[in-house]
Amino acid sequence: MIKWPFLPKDAGLDIVKTEGAYLYTRQGQKILDAASGAIVNNIGYGREEVAEAIKEAALNNTYVLPPFLTPEREELLDELRNHWLPPHLTRVHLSSGGSEANESAVKLAIQYQASRGKPEKNLILTRTLSYHGTTLNMSGISGHAARKRGLESYVPAPITVETPYPLRCPLGSFHPEAKDYYLNNLKEVIERYGANHIAALLMEPINGSSGGAIYPPEGYWEEAQKILLDNDILLIADEVMTGFGRTGVDFSCNFYNLKPDILVAGKGMAGGYAAISGTYSTDEIAESILKAGFEVMFHTFAALPQSCAASSSVLKILRRENLCERVNPLGDQLKQKLISELGQHPLVAEIRGKGLLIGVEIVKEKEGLVSFDEKEKITNKIVGKGLENGVFFYPGGTGEYRDIICLGPAFIINDDDIDLMVSSLKKSLDHIKAKYL
Ligand SMILES: Cc1ncc(COP(=O)(O)O)c(C=O)c1O
C-alpha cells in the first residue's frame, strides 16, 4: 500500500483531477476547493493557455543557468515591473517557493547592512503569530509553535514583536488603545535589543493562515513603518500568501501605504501552475551588496524558463480577465454571507479578512474566548466534515492559537460556490456543536 506521508491524517484525499475551482477524487467525489490548495490558485485550475506556455518554454529553453537571461525571464520581468511591483522595487530575485524567497530576503537584509559597514546590525525581528516557511531558519523565526515542535533545540529562537490581534488584544477585544499597545511593544523590543543590532522586521501585513487573515488596528502599520525608519531598520513584507491580488489589492502593503524595502511573494505568482517565488528589493540594496562584492547565490531551479512562462501567463490572465477586480465584490459577498449565517453561531468568535482571504475563528466559549483543547483537533475535524460535505477548507492557526478555518478560493468562483462554502461550513460547525459542546 502506498504511504504518502505529507497529508494531514484526518484529511487524506486521492485527487485525480483539478478543474476550475474543483477537485475530483478517485472515488468520484467533486470537492469545491475553498482554499485553492494552500491559498495558491487564483485563475482556476486546468487552463490550457498556461499549459501551452509551459510546454513552449520547456521546448525552447529547457534549463538555463539562473543568472543568464532568456526571453521567458525577460517577459516575466517586464510583466512584474510594468504591472505589479511597487515602482521602488526594481530588483528581482527568483526562487521556487515562499520559504526560499524569505530566506533570500533575510540574507539580502543582513548582507545589505554588512555592505554598509554595519555587520553587527544582524538581528531579524519577527512576530509572535506568523509563518514564513519551513526551512530551519524560517521554522525558527516564524511564530508558529506547531510547525517547530521537536526542532526547538536546534532552530534559532525568534526575537519577536507582538502581532496585533484585535480580537485577542491583552487590553480587551477591539480595545480602543490596541494600536498604541502594540506600537509600544514594537518600540520596547527595538530598545531592548538596540536599533544598531537590528537589520530588519520580517512581517506579514495581513496574516496568512497562521492567524487566519488577522489585520492590525487602523494606523498601526503606518506608525510602525515610521518607527522602523527612524531606527534605520528595514521592512521586509512577506506577501507569499497575500500577494498578487488575493486581498483585493495587488499587495496588501497597499492598504497601509507601506513601502517595504524588500517584498516577498510566491503562491499566486503562478497560481500553482509552477513553483516560483520572488524577492523584490530596491536598487540601493542590490547595488550596495554588489559593490561590497558579496555573493547572492542562486538555487539550481530558480527562474526555470518553464516557471517564468507559467507566471507570466497567469499574471497576464489575471489582468486580461480583470480577475483581481472580482476579488473585493466576491470577498464581500462571501464574508457577508458567512456573517449572516454563522456570525451568531455559538462556536464562532470572529469572521474576518480582506478580499478572498477570510478567517473564521472557532472557540469553545465565546465569553472569554476559550479555545477547545488542542488534543480535540477541532480544526481537523471541521476540515474533515467539510470534505464530507463537498468543500475543502484550509486549516489555520499555529497550535498555540488554534481552530481557525481559512477560506481563500480562486477568483473565478460564482454565487453557487459561495452558497456551498457557507452551507458546508455551517454543517461542520453544527456537527462540532452537537458532538463537542
Ligand atoms: C506568509 C507565508 N510565508 C511563507 C510561506 C512559505 O511558503 P512555501 O510553502 O512556498 O515555502 C507561506 C506558506 O504558506 C506563507 O503563507
Side-chain angles (χ1 to χ4, degrees):
M1 167 143 152
I2 300 169
K3 288 226 169 187
W4 184 244
F6 297 111
L7 290 171
K9 286 178 211 61
D10 300 341
L13 285 182
D14 187 353
I15 304 296
V16 289
K17 187 164 179 60
T18 60
E19 191 169 40
Y22 282 82
L23 313 171
Y24 296 83
T25 69
R26 189 175 299 279
Q27 295 73 24
Q29 199 192 359
K30 179 179 176 187
I31 296 171
L32 172 60
D33 191 350
S36 53
I39 326 285
V40 172
N41 185 252
N42 37 24
I43 62 168
Y45 298 126
R47 296 272 195 143
E48 191 104 22
E49 183 178 335
V50 187
E52 282 302 323
I54 295 170
K55 178 180 164 191
E56 207 177 296
L59 289 171
N60 184 52
N61 266 323
T62 306
Y63 179 85
V64 177
L65 201 70
F68 298 168
L69 198 58
T70 75
E72 297 81 6
R73 289 171 182 161
E74 201 171 356
E75 188 182 351
L76 178 57
L77 285 181
D78 285 345
E79 175 68 24
L80 289 166
R81 288 185 180 137
N82 295 336
H83 301 288
W84 298 93
L85 294 179
H88 71 290
L89 297 176
T90 48
R91 298 304 183 100
V92 174
H93 178 85
L94 298 175
S95 18
S96 309
S99 310
E100 284 181 3
N102 275 324
E103 290 286 359
S104 296
V106 166
K107 283 172 72 181
L108 288 183
I110 292 169
Q111 284 181 311
Y112 170 65
Q113 301 294 7
S115 73
R116 303 162 72 206
K118 301 187 178 191
E120 72 290 348
K121 211 167 154 55
N122 62 358
L123 300 177
I124 301 293
L125 302 183
T126 52
R127 306 195 308 154
T128 46
L129 179 55
S130 60
Y131 182 62
H132 300 294
T134 187
T135 53
L136 283 169
N137 187 45
M138 287 304 139
S139 300
I141 68 179
S142 290
H144 196 304
R147 291 183 184 160
K148 59 179 134 191
R149 286 203 181 123
L151 295 169
E152 295 92 336
S153 64
Y154 187 81
V155 295
I159 300 170
T160 51
V161 296
E162 281 187 54
T163 304
Y165 194 166
L167 176 73
R168 291 182 181 273
C169 175
L171 302 179
S173 270
F174 303 99
H175 196 277
E177 281 163 38
K179 180 190 75 174
D180 290 336
Y181 168 84
Y182 289 113
L183 286 169
N184 284 337
N185 171 260
L186 174 62
K187 286 184 209 154
E188 271 163 33
V189 174
I190 294 173
E191 205 158 295
R192 198 175 331 138
Y193 289 90
N196 55 330
H197 291 296
I198 302 171
L201 168 71
L202 170 61
M203 55 59 142
E204 298 155 85
I206 295 175
N207 279 73
S209 63
S210 60
I214 295 177
Y215 53 90
E218 224 176 294
Y220 172 85
W221 273 132
E222 290 84 344
E223 289 187 44
Q225 175 165 247
K226 191 168 176 320
I227 294 168
L228 297 174
L229 270 174
D230 290 347
N231 284 284
D232 187 28
I233 295 171
L234 298 179
L235 180 66
I236 307 175
D238 175 354
E239 297 232 28
V240 169
M241 191 173 276
T242 50
F244 296 105
R246 167 62 55 192
T247 61
V249 286
D250 287 353
F251 294 98
S252 61
C253 277
N254 301 5
F255 282 117
Y256 310 106
N257 290 320
L258 287 177
K259 209 174 162 201
D261 300 283
I262 302 174
L263 181 120
V264 181
K267 303 198 183 235
M269 190 172 161
Y273 285 85
I276 188 165
S277 58
T279 306
Y280 310 110
S281 64
T282 59
D283 275 346
E284 189 194 333
I285 290 176
E287 290 304 333
S288 182
I289 291 172
L290 293 175
K291 209 164 134 210
F294 298 151
E295 194 164 326
V296 179
M297 183 52 187
F298 55 82
H299 291 275
T300 297
F301 295 119
L304 269 184
Q306 300 87 312
S307 308
C308 292
S311 178
S312 296
S313 178
V314 167
L315 297 178
K316 282 181 176 36
I317 288 174
L318 281 174
R319 287 194 297 112
R320 194 181 65 227
E321 297 183 7
N322 298 318
L323 291 180
C324 294
E325 280 82 79
R326 288 170 57 85
V327 170
N328 279 326
L330 284 170
D332 287 347
Q333 192 183 334
L334 174 56
K335 201 157 76 174
Q336 280 320 314
K337 194 158 176 92
L338 284 166
I339 289 171
S340 73
E341 304 267 324
L342 296 174
Q344 299 308 313
H345 196 283
L347 299 181
V348 174
E350 192 188 8
I351 296 166
R352 58 183 174 242
K354 300 238 186 217
L356 280 173
L357 182 64
I358 295 175
V360 179
E361 182 160 340
I362 308 300
V363 287
K364 189 171 183 178
E365 288 169 39
K366 279 195 193 187
E367 188 68 37
L369 299 170
V370 181
S371 298
F372 282 93
D373 194 290
E374 198 179 351
K375 288 198 200 82
E376 307 255 41
K377 296 196 180 303
I378 291 297
T379 298
N380 284 6
K381 290 186 170 111
I382 294 171
V383 173
K385 265 283 155 204
L387 288 172
E388 280 175 27
N389 292 312
V391 181
F392 174 60
F393 300 105
Y394 200 63
T398 65
E400 192 181 348
Y401 298 100
R402 59 187 165 272
D403 300 329
I404 297 168
I405 303 299
C406 297
L407 292 88
F411 306 170
I412 55 153
I413 51 162
N414 59 31
D415 292 353
D416 290 344
D417 297 328
I418 288 179
D419 290 349
L420 180 57
M421 284 181 228
V422 178
S423 66
S424 166
L425 187 55
K426 184 165 184 325
K427 281 185 201 156
S428 300
L429 295 185
D430 287 345
H431 165 80
I432 299 292
K433 180 182 146 205
K435 204 153 173 210
Y436 297 93
L437 266 197

